[in-house]
Amino acid sequence: MLQGRGRSATRRRTHLPTSKEIQQRLDLARTELEKRQQQLLESKMVLVQKLREAFPGFVDSAIRRLVEKNASRIDQLSPEELRKMKIEIEKEKPKAIETALKAFDSCPDWLWCSSSATGYREDPIDDSGVSEEGAIWKVLQRYSRPLEEIFARYGLGVGVPVVPGATITGYPLKLPYRFLEDHALKELNIAVGEAHEGFCRAKRDVEALERELKENEAVEKFESA
């Protein structure tokens, strides 16, 4: 009687995919995920390269704005102090930019997807590209800290962090809000967003098939016992 029920259960499952068939689909999905990940990394590389080209010009403009806002303090500094400050800034500027760009490029959040996220956070990247509220962009914003510290030593008003996550009132050298939308980098960032969307879609497919395979194997093991 027990054997009859086992054969009946097996017959009821004949229309369902076998673990072997699911594994084949999973292998194809993983290949597609690798392809989508490579496309995302390539689009990111183009964005980083163009950002590297645009960054020095932006920093120079930001420094000029900071000097304008601190005109009274600049007037109080002697020519020698101004020369010393400029030398320090010019020495530190390329290092600060390069350090921030490397951190931006290597940030693990490029492969972040909402489907596998835990807890609440600002999306570092979405279908429109890198988000200026998320972790990837905030990594890049750190370029300004060593430059702000130099200006602050000479009495200029800047936004120097006094505790983690806080700034005092001043004129920080941060990249302006909506920088990626107003700048020529906009289309490149959109391409990153599109590639990221394809990557996350492929990642969801793999995760779903992995769950299906695990569940199917459990049923097969139970029915064969």
Side-chain angles (χ1 to χ4, degrees), residues 17-126:
T18 64
S19 292
K20 181 178 179 180
E21 291 169 338
I22 298 172
Q23 182 65 61
Q24 290 172 340
R25 289 161 53 202
L26 178 57
D27 291 341
L28 291 174
R30 284 172 172 164
T31 299
E32 178 66 14
L33 177 58
E34 292 176 359
K35 174 185 172 183
R36 295 291 183 173
Q37 179 172 324
Q38 184 60 32
Q39 290 174 344
L40 172 57
L41 295 178
E42 288 174 357
S43 63
K44 178 200 72 170
M45 182 174 62
V46 174
L47 176 64
V48 171
Q49 181 57 40
K50 293 299 181 182
L51 187 58
R52 186 184 303 277
E53 295 171 5
F55 222 122
F58 164 76
V59 174
D60 290 339
S61 297
I63 289 174
R64 283 194 295 271
R65 288 196 300 273
L66 187 145
V67 169
E68 291 169 357
K69 296 295 184 180
N70 285 273
S72 296
R73 176 55 184 161
I74 293 294
D75 190 53
Q76 295 171 0
L77 294 174
S78 68
E80 181 60 26
E81 288 175 314
L82 286 173
R83 280 193 294 271
K84 287 176 62 178
M85 182 176 69
K86 288 177 66 177
I87 289 172
E88 289 184 43
I89 290 294
E90 290 303 314
K91 181 179 179 180
E92 185 61 40
K93 185 169 60 176
K95 292 190 294 182
I97 292 173
E98 186 60 27
T99 298
L101 283 171
K102 285 182 178 178
F104 179 78
D105 186 26
S106 61
C107 182
D109 285 298
W110 287 102
L111 300 181
W112 176 93
C113 290
S114 58
S115 62
S116 57
T118 56
Y120 173 79
R121 61 183 296 183
E122 295 288 350
D123 291 359
I125 186 170
D126 53 34

Side-chain angles (χ1 to χ4, degrees), residues 136-202:
I136 297 175
W137 194 248
K138 289 177 180 177
V139 165
L140 189 64
Q141 291 281 28
R142 295 174 189 165
Y143 93 91
S144 65
R145 290 181 182 176
L147 301 179
E148 290 172 349
E149 290 171 359
I150 293 173
F151 282 120
R153 287 203 303 272
Y154 286 87
L156 277 68
V158 293
V160 180
V162 290
V163 294
T167 59
I168 61 174
T169 302
Y171 306 98
L173 295 173
K174 300 295 185 186
L175 293 163
Y177 184 62
R178 302 178 76 88
F179 175 73
L180 285 172
E181 293 185 23
D182 297 333
H183 199 274
L185 296 164
K186 179 179 179 179
E187 294 302 318
L188 297 178
N189 196 36
I190 291 175
V192 167
E194 292 173 348
H196 181 263
E197 185 178 15
F199 165 76
C200 288
R201 186 166 53 247

